Amino acid sequence: MPQTLHSERLFETKYGYFSEDGREYVITRPDTPRPWVNVLSNGNYSLVISQTGGGFSWFKNSNLNAITIWRQDLIKDDVGKFLYIRDRDSGRYWSVGWKPVCRTPQAYTCRHGIGYSIICSRNEDIESELVVFIPQDSSLEIWKVTLRNHSSTRRNLSLFSYLEWCLGVSPETHREFHKTFIETQFDANLNTLWARNRLWEVRNSKGVHRNRDWEFLAFHSVNQSVSSFEGDKEAFLGRYRSEVYPLALEKGILTNTDGKWNDSVASLHVDVTLDPGEEKSIIFTLGAVEIKDEKVAIEWIKCYQELSKVDLALEETKAFWEKLLQTPRVETPDRAFDILTNIWLKYQAISGRLWARAAYYQQGGAYGFRDQLQDSQIFLPINPDKTREQILLHARHQFANGTVYHWWHNLSEEGPVTRSSDDLLWLPYVVLNYLKETTDFSILDEKVRYIDAEEDSLYNHCCRAIDCVLTRFSPRGLPLIGEGDWNDGLNGLGCDMKGESIWLGHFLYGILREFAMVVQKKGDVNRAREYQTRAARLKKAINELAWDGNWYLRATGDDGRVLGSVRNSEAKIFLNAQTWAIINEVADNDRAEKAMNSVEEILDREYGPLLFYPAFTHTDEAIGYLSRYAPGVRENGGLYTHAATWAIMAECILGRGERAYQMYTKLCPINRGMNPDLYFCEPYVTPGNVEGPDSPHFGRGGWTWYTGSAAWLFQVCVEWILGIRPTYDGLLIDPCIPKHWENFKMKRLFRGDVYEIEVVNPNHVNKGVVELVIDGRSQKSNLVTPFKNGEIHRVRVIMG
């Protein structure tokens, strides 16, 4: 059985290590502190797989269209799509992954790679390798199982698959109800179990619940003759038994039951005989298609019954990701920085956040209006057309008055309409960043429908968002927080539309100032003047009303209370109110320095800057659910990685290269992963949060994969620490690095050209460019004007 040889183990702990090229994380024992998973997706079909073999699969939407059952449990990790091996002579059995049988293997590894996972184990001298991946052009997953006999005798083995069908909305609230609508049918010619559902918990065309067919067809197949099959859970497990010791494995045979009257599962049983040293591969598939595409499913089943086509599809999947992630490419003195920036942050944001929209800690499924818009910025230096698509998709989920769905589900197109005050502003924000990357101003003329009105230009969509927020101001001239701004947990402060948000003021000020230039370019002179005037008033109001001596206040409530003041016994200082004052230049130089000094003195801790401090110790309905977390947990005084990335950006803007890099190294998951029994999380992806000092688990991470921090940390690394970022006029090169870095390199695609950039730091400074040479020609500016000739350009930058 071929194995990838890793000549060097990077960042090794007792649980695993990175491969030499950084493209795999190799888990060397299954009992990691929490499930360490991979999220595989081709943008249509997706799955989660843990290092034990746990996880689930879905088609198009993890919440509305789960293929297999999912019951989230980070302690047990006992739900999955399992494979058992049974020795027909001895009757003993084990599982290919550690779960569900949990026998102690002779050897075990799980290799999470980019677009695939491989679990290798050895039990009773039978080595198994399970390769799981999703072909790029199919809505199915492939399990390639290779067995090798290391013993000195012939081995007569049986292989059993097992999964529970969901076929719709997950998690189910009433299995005894939902199971009565699922039906299965075995097709001996295709070695396939088909599965349908006569009920889908999505409204029908008349808006009625529980009166609509599930509009898809699921299948589970194997590429050799089936010895027996099973469609009934009770027949497979036995009464009062579990997946750990199922009756079917005890008996070694299935009952060949299918139909409409079962608690429906899928199990396919095939027999394999191996001589000493012999190796054989068996292919299982699991997938779903729309009902009309049944013939397509049959073609896929037949195609992937051939081992050569499976191997080809795997190579194509690897090649797809290799090509997609090839730019930007960085080379710095920090190997952890390189591995995250080049590979895992991009992969996490694209596969986990944008395409799968789910992971282990959160099933998700929906498009968050603010969330996936922010995430789509990951594509700007990779393939900005993908960001363009996301912008237009979100614009279609805006109402004519400028408000938007807080989130919405595809398939149902339903979502909540809230008074969250920032959601709608992310549309013009991301449009501005798209324009800086591409100068594709034609996007502003794209016609897009509103939810409740005819189509309009994207430009007007953006203006309506801004204009809507400009109507939501307090008598003091500050924007209203509504049912939460970026922090959804502050959902009690402004329910009566009186409470104010200082962070939103910072955010809006930057948008008003920058979008006014776009408005001016469109010839909309009066609106441009209005935005500039409102921006100036807003900045003045914030600095007169919200400066607390050494930092900015965070918000006020409907009842007049103030959050984020030195006068508060809890929640004295909030991170975002300081960082965005610097990012959007609301603070002048003196206040910017004071605000960031306060962040460093009070909020920045061993594992990075806290969201605020101290934590709330009592629930308070007038604040919101944020206060209902235990102290130090998530948004209640924890480190929220998303916000921490903005603190790094603010440090870079102030030119504090040492502090920016120190913050980065503190929250870098590879570094944190070197102490896994404290940190708990996967070391290859960012967590949503790390518990703060008010928690007894200070330093423990959580909520990995499904977090907006991956795209933001990538942007901060590339555009602010390395300092290579787009402007309307070209590519600005303005590094803010630690002094001990002597050099770094970046390969970046920009407006049709490839730029190979080398930055040298002979004088060991944090910031400052003294010379820039493009294709051998020196220039005084640190701005690379785009060539747009489809060529490779070499740029040498000298700091000093």
Side-chain angles (χ1 to χ4, degrees), residues 408-633:
W408 79 92
H409 280 293
N410 62 327
L411 299 181
S412 72
E413 291 299 313
E414 293 181 353
V417 179
T418 72
R419 289 180 295 178
S420 293
S421 56
D422 72 309
D423 288 343
L424 58 174
L425 288 177
W426 289 101
L427 181 65
Y429 179 86
V430 176
V431 166
L432 285 165
N433 286 344
Y434 171 81
L435 293 175
K436 291 173 189 175
E437 178 69 36
T438 65
T439 62
D440 172 26
F441 283 87
S442 69
I443 192 175
L444 297 172
D445 299 320
E446 285 283 342
K447 298 294 185 181
V448 185
R449 280 188 58 89
Y450 297 103
I451 295 168
D452 57 346
E454 296 300 314
E455 66 181 19
D456 199 354
S457 68
L458 178 65
Y459 170 75
N460 283 335
H461 277 262
C462 292
C463 290
R464 290 196 185 196
I466 295 170
D467 293 346
C468 179
V469 175
L470 290 176
T471 67
R472 300 172 173 176
F473 264 60
S474 73
R476 302 199 307 165
L478 295 173
L480 302 178
I481 191 170
E483 295 175 26
D485 45 22
W486 171 86
N487 195 328
D488 288 337
L490 295 174
N491 62 331
L493 275 177
C495 296
D496 296 333
M497 300 304 285
K498 296 178 182 177
E500 303 158 325
S501 171
I502 308 309
W503 171 81
L504 184 67
H506 297 326
F507 186 50
L508 176 61
Y509 170 74
I511 291 172
L512 286 170
R513 190 181 58 174
E514 291 201 37
F515 208 79
M517 293 186 286
V518 174
V519 172
Q520 189 77 44
K521 186 178 178 67
K522 293 288 289 183
D524 198 346
V525 178
N526 289 336
R527 176 174 270 127
R529 187 180 300 113
E530 173 67 10
Y531 285 178
Q532 290 165 345
T533 300
R534 292 296 298 268
R537 289 179 188 166
L538 178 56
K539 180 176 180 178
K540 184 173 185 290
I542 291 172
N543 278 295
E544 287 181 353
L545 301 171
W547 180 249
D548 199 45
N550 287 299
W551 60 76
Y552 286 93
L553 306 175
R554 175 61 174 86
T556 65
D558 290 331
D559 57 4
R561 72 175 63 200
V562 175
L563 255 64
S565 169
V566 69
R567 296 182 295 277
N568 298 134
S569 60
E570 297 175 337
K572 288 178 179 291
I573 176 173
F574 282 74
L575 182 63
N576 288 354
Q578 318 320 317
T579 57
W580 278 85
I582 295 162
I583 291 168
N584 278 348
E585 300 179 10
V586 174
D588 61 23
N589 290 337
D590 181 58
R591 287 188 175 181
E593 293 283 344
K594 283 186 177 180
M596 214 58 204
N597 288 345
S598 297
V599 167
E600 293 172 7
E601 292 167 9
I602 303 171
L603 295 177
D604 194 23
R605 301 300 179 93
E606 294 94 321
Y607 312 115
L610 306 174
L611 190 60
F612 67 84
Y613 186 79
F616 290 105
T617 57
H618 298 89
T619 63
D620 190 333
E621 187 176 346
I623 290 174
Y625 77 78
L626 178 152
S627 70
R628 299 180 184 276
Y629 288 114
V633 173

Side-chain angles (χ1 to χ4, degrees), residues 80-273:
K81 300 153 294 178
F82 299 127
L83 285 164
Y84 300 84
I85 299 172
R86 184 178 187 272
D87 188 312
R88 296 202 302 276
D89 296 322
S90 69
R92 291 192 295 270
Y93 59 87
W94 56 93
S95 40
V96 171
W98 191 48
K99 288 286 184 172
V101 178
C102 291
R103 280 189 59 177
T104 301
Q106 293 167 292
Y108 194 95
T109 61
C110 172
R111 292 154 50 199
H112 288 319
I114 307 302
Y116 64 91
S117 286
I118 302 172
I119 295 178
C120 297
S121 61
R122 183 167 171 168
N123 293 271
E124 298 195 4
D125 290 327
I126 298 297
E127 183 180 0
S128 63
E129 180 186 76
L130 169 63
V131 181
V132 178
F133 71 99
I134 300 171
Q136 288 308 116
D137 58 353
S138 308
S139 56
L140 60 82
E141 62 195 84
I142 293 175
W143 315 342
K144 178 186 174 185
V145 186
T146 302
L147 304 177
R148 184 178 181 86
N149 181 5
H150 286 278
S151 73
S152 58
T153 60
R154 172 178 285 198
R155 302 294 290 275
N156 298 307
L157 306 172
S158 293
L159 196 57
F160 293 82
S161 63
Y162 177 76
L163 59 92
E164 290 189 56
W165 296 114
C166 179
L167 309 184
V169 175
S170 176
E172 291 180 326
T173 56
H174 192 345
R175 180 64 176 176
E176 283 303 304
F177 174 77
H178 287 286
K179 76 177 188 181
T180 60
F181 302 98
I182 297 175
E183 57 186 82
T184 59
Q185 181 181 12
F186 181 68
D187 185 335
N189 293 323
L190 291 172
N191 305 316
T192 298
L193 262 171
W194 297 98
R196 296 171 173 84
N197 195 344
R198 300 185 304 279
L199 177 71
W200 193 17
E201 290 273 19
V202 173
R203 298 175 191 269
N204 66 14
S205 59
K206 296 181 179 180
V208 178
H209 274 302
R210 294 186 171 174
N211 196 21
R212 179 176 178 176
D213 286 337
W214 188 59
E215 297 167 359
F216 307 92
L217 176 66
F219 55 89
H220 179 44
S221 182
V222 68
N223 72 333
Q224 69 179 59
S225 295
V226 171
S227 300
S228 62
F229 68 88
E230 189 59 75
D232 180 59
K233 181 178 180 179
E234 186 173 356
F236 185 89
L237 296 182
R239 294 178 185 173
Y240 304 107
R241 298 167 73 118
S242 73
E243 293 87 352
V244 178
Y245 54 104
L247 182 63
L249 269 294
E250 189 175 293
K251 291 183 173 181
I253 194 72
L254 304 175
T255 67
N256 294 341
T257 299
D258 58 7
K260 303 179 180 180
W261 295 273
N262 311 303
D263 192 342
S264 294
V265 300
S267 179
L268 300 175
H269 161 209
V270 296
D271 292 325
V272 182
T273 299

